[in-house]
Amino acid sequence: METCADFLIERLYAWGVRRIYGYPGDGINGVMGALERAEKNSHPVEFIQARHEEMAAFMACSHAKFTGEVGVCLATSGPGAIHLLNGLYDAKMDHVPVVAIVGQQSRQGLGGHYQQEVDLTTLFKDVASEFVQMAAHPAQVRHLADRAIRIAKAQRSVTCIIMPNDLQEAAAIKVPKHMHGTVHSGIGHAKARIIPEEKELLRAAKVLNEGKRVAMLIGAGAMHAGKEVIQAAELLGAGIAKALLGKAALPDHLPYVTGSIGLLGTKPSWDMMMDCDTLFMIGTSFPYSEFLPKEGNARCVQIDIDQRMLSLRYPAEVCLAGDSAETLRALIPMLKKKDDTSWRAKIEREVEAWWKVLEARAINDARPLNPQRVFWELSPRLPDNCILCADSGSAANWFARDLKIRAGMMASLSGTLATMGAGVPYAIGAKFAFPDRVVFAFVGDGAMQMNGTGELVTIAKYWKRWKDPRLIVLVLNNRDLNQVTWEQRVLSGDPKFKASQNLPDFPYATYADMLGLKGISLDNPDAVAVAWQDALKADRPVVIDAHTDPEVPPLPPHITMQQARHFMSAMIHGDPDRGHVMRQAFKDGIENYLPHK
Ligand SMILES: Cc1ncc(C[n+]2csc(CCOP(=O)(O)OP(=O)(O)O)c2C)c(N)n1
Ligand SMILES: [Mg+2]
C-alpha cells in the first residue's frame, strides 16, 4: 500500500527535492519509513541527520542560499518542531525558500493535551506566515506539498506542512475525487521576468543622470547581477558598497568597490555615503540607516524584487520593482556616461589607502594572535570557487573586511537574524550542495560551544561522502563573547561583565583529532600562513583552533563622540585588563592616520 508519507516524498521528488535535513522521532516515523522506501521506489531523497533540528533548518537555509533551490528540513512533533524555529527564522528574514515538514500527534488525540501535542499551526504561524497547514485528510497531501514548495519559491519564504502521524501511515489519495470541495493542484514553478514600467525607468535614469556623486549599495538581491552592476557603475562614475549578504556579488579587487558597510564596514563606504548626492540601492535591505546618507542629503533610486522592501531604509524618489539584473539591463541604455570622473577617482584613492590600513592593522602584534592577521593571511590563499560561511560574532567583522572575495566564490551568513550558531551548519549544507568545492566556516568559541562542536560530529559522520573532503572550520578561541563585550564597551559604555562574557577554554583541535578530523592549534603569528597551507593540503576536514586576542577592537568605520565617551567610561569604570584593551584600540585606530606605502 502506498501511504500518504510515500506520496509526500514522491511529490517532493517530482518537485526536484533530493535532500532533506532533519532529525527523527515517533511523530514523523511514517515519513522516515517513506524515505527508506523511496530509494527502492526509484525516487530517492537523501536524508541527512543533524545533531539538532535547529541545525537541520540552518543546513536547509544554507542549501537555499547557495543553490537558489528550495531547502527542506524535517522534524518530529512537539520538541523537534520547536527546535526548528531559529533556523527557520534565519531563512525567513534573509528571504530564502525553505520548507519545513513536521510531525504531529494522531488526529484522534488532538485537543486532548496529549503527550508532545503542541499547537503547531499557531507555533509556525509567524515564521511560516506565507503558508502553514496541517493535513487532516489524505486528499490534502498533494496540494499541501505543491503549495508549500510553490509558495516558498514564489515568495522566497518559509512554509510548513504538518503531518499527523496516523495520517502519514494512511493510504495515499493521489488523485482527489472529481467532486465539489476537492483541490487538483499540479507541479512546476515558472520564473517570471520582472521589470519596472518604462516610465519608472526613465524617471530613475533622470535622477541618476543628474547626480554628480553617485553611491551604489548592493545586497544579496544583486548576487546574479554583477555584470550589470559594473556596467551601471562605469557609466555613473559611482563607487559600490556591499551589504554583508552581498559580499560575493562583486569581487573586492575592483578599485571602486568600497567593501562592507555598517558597524563592520569600511571607512571608504562610510565616506562615500556621507559625501554622495545620489544613492542607488540594488537588492538590499541593509538595516542601519545611520550608515546611509542623512535624510535629505541625497536623492535615491532603489531596485528590489519585493515591493514590500522598497523605500524602507531611505526614502526613495524612484522605486523600481523588479529583478536587479533585468531592471539594470533595461535601465543601462538610458544612463549617460559621466564626464567628470573626479568622484570616482577620489573613491579609488580612498579604497587603495584603506586596504593598506587593513594590512597594517592585521600585522600589528597582539596577545597571542591578532584575529585580523588570521583572515588577512587566508585572503590570498582562498582557493578558486570556495564557499565562505561566517558566524555571528567578531568573525563576521574580519570576514566582511579582511577577505578579498573573487569571482566564482560564494559567501553567506545569518544576515538579518544575525543568530549565533549558523556557521558550521551552513558549511555542512554548502558541502552537501557542492561536494567538490572547499568550504570555510569562521566561528567564535561561543558559537562553537553553543552548537558547533556538536555539528563537528555531523561532519565526522559524513565527510567521506564528499568528493573534496576539505571543510575548514576556523575557531576564534578568544575565551570571550567578544562581539558583545565590545558592544557593552562602545555602545553601552559599560565595562566588560565577566560573568556574562568570559568563556571556558575547550580543546577544539584535540577534539577534532578525536573525531578523526584534523586539528591544528595555532597561537604563533608566524605560524598562521603555514596553518592555512596545512589546512588546504589536508585530506579531511580541519579545525583550526586559533588563540586570538579578545582585546583587538572590531572598530566601527567611524567613531562617534558618544561611542568614544562610552568607551572611555567603560575603561574608567574598571574594565578588566583595560591597559591592554586601550593599547590595542590605539594601535588599530592610529593606523587610519599613519602613512602607508
Ligand atoms: C543565538 C544568539 N544568542 C546571542 C546572540 C548575541 N551575540 C551576538 S555575537 C555574540 C558573541 C559571540 O561570541 P563568540 O561566538 O565567541 O564570537 P566572538 O565575538 O567572541 O568572536 C553574542 C552573544 C546572538 N546573536 N545569537
Ligand atoms: Mg569568542
Side-chain angles (χ1 to χ4, degrees), residues 25-96:
D26 71 342
I28 197 72
N29 266 347
V31 175
M32 294 299 173
L35 282 165
E36 199 266 329
R37 288 187 293 277
E39 223 174 286
K40 291 177 217 123
N41 295 340
S42 68
H43 49 262
V45 176
E46 186 181 25
F47 179 79
I48 305 298
Q49 176 206 61
R51 292 320 92 203
H52 184 297
E53 293 83 353
E54 180 183 337
M55 304 301 112
F58 284 140
M59 291 172 201
C61 177
S62 156
H63 179 88
K65 284 185 167 183
F66 292 126
T67 66
E69 300 162 1
V70 174
V72 182
C73 56
L74 183 143
T76 190
S77 51
I82 293 167
H83 268 182
L84 285 178
L85 285 176
N86 194 49
L88 293 178
Y89 271 104
D90 180 36
K92 177 189 176 79
M93 295 187 74
D94 281 348
H95 304 282
V96 294

Side-chain angles (χ1 to χ4, degrees), residues 203-204 206-211 213-215 276-281 293-302 314-318:
R203 284 181 57 222
K206 184 163 185 294
V207 172
L208 295 168
N209 286 334
E210 282 169 6
R213 301 183 306 279
V214 182
C276 71
D277 66 5
T278 309
L279 174 63
F280 187 12
M281 292 202 275
K294 189 164 175 244
E295 216 183 306
N297 279 5
R299 301 171 79 186
C300 175
V301 173
Q302 185 183 1
Y314 190 90
E317 192 172 325
V318 186

Side-chain angles (χ1 to χ4, degrees), residues 162-405:
I162 303 164
M163 296 280 287
N165 58 19
D166 61 317
L167 181 124
Q168 294 167 33
E169 310 275 9
I173 297 180
K174 296 169 74 161
V175 182
K177 280 191 188 142
H178 189 228
M179 62 179 275
H180 185 71
T182 56
V183 175
H184 299 258
S185 62
I187 284 172
H189 172 71
K191 257 193 101 180
R193 218 178 130 201
I194 305 175
I195 46 169
E197 288 188 358
E198 169 104 358
K199 71 174 196 305
E200 300 301 329
L201 290 167
L202 286 167
R203 284 181 57 222
K206 184 163 185 294
V207 172
L208 295 168
N209 286 334
E210 282 169 6
K212 300 220 170 340
R213 301 183 306 279
V214 182
M216 293 171 75
L217 173 62
I218 63 173
M223 203 60 84
H224 60 298
K227 204 175 80 214
E228 291 81 1
V229 168
I230 289 176
Q231 276 172 16
E234 297 284 357
L235 289 166
L236 296 170
I240 309 170
K242 299 188 290 184
L244 207 40
L245 287 170
K247 180 167 174 87
L250 278 187
D252 282 310
H253 62 74
L254 292 172
Y256 47 89
V257 167
T258 62
S260 52
I261 183 170
L263 282 169
L264 34 68
T266 69
K267 189 166 175 298
S269 293
W270 168 269
D271 290 342
M272 177 173 75
M273 288 298 156
M274 294 308 124
D275 294 343
C276 71
D277 66 5
T278 309
L279 174 63
F280 187 12
M281 292 202 275
I282 303 168
T284 176
S285 64
F286 169 70
Y288 296 165
S289 46
E290 72 271 32
F291 291 89
L292 300 178
K294 189 164 175 244
E295 216 183 306
N297 279 5
R299 301 171 79 186
C300 175
V301 173
Q302 185 183 1
I303 303 177
D304 206 288
I305 191 134
D306 185 346
Q307 301 236 11
R308 290 173 291 196
M309 303 310 289
L310 285 165
S311 214
L312 180 64
R313 309 295 184 210
Y314 190 90
E317 192 172 325
V318 186
C319 293
L320 299 176
D323 170 80
S324 53
E326 294 278 0
T327 303
L328 284 170
R329 277 201 285 275
L331 181 67
I332 283 166
M334 303 173 183
L335 299 178
K336 289 202 211 89
K337 185 152 175 67
K338 298 222 187 288
D339 304 325
D340 184 355
T341 54
S342 57
W343 166 248
R344 162 71 75 87
K346 175 171 162 277
I347 291 169
E348 293 192 5
R349 277 195 306 277
E350 289 188 2
V351 169
E352 199 187 338
W354 172 253
W355 283 113
K356 289 180 182 147
V357 170
L358 283 182
E359 178 169 23
R361 286 184 181 178
I363 54 181
N364 273 336
D365 60 345
R367 283 188 209 161
L369 271 184
N370 182 339
Q372 297 166 108
R373 174 153 189 176
V374 182
F375 285 79
W376 187 259
E377 300 246 21
L378 169 63
S379 190
R381 296 185 170 84
L382 287 170
D384 287 344
N385 301 321
C386 66
I387 303 178
L388 314 173
C389 307
D391 213 292
S392 297
S394 68
N397 292 270
W398 321 127
F399 154 84
R401 288 199 199 123
D402 290 281
L403 294 180
K404 273 195 184 182
I405 203 155

Side-chain angles (χ1 to χ4, degrees), residues 394 444-447 476-483 503:
S394 68
D445 47 354
L476 296 185
N477 182 359
N478 52 23
R479 276 89 56 223
D480 184 34
L481 295 168
N482 196 235
Q483 183 69 22
L503 289 175

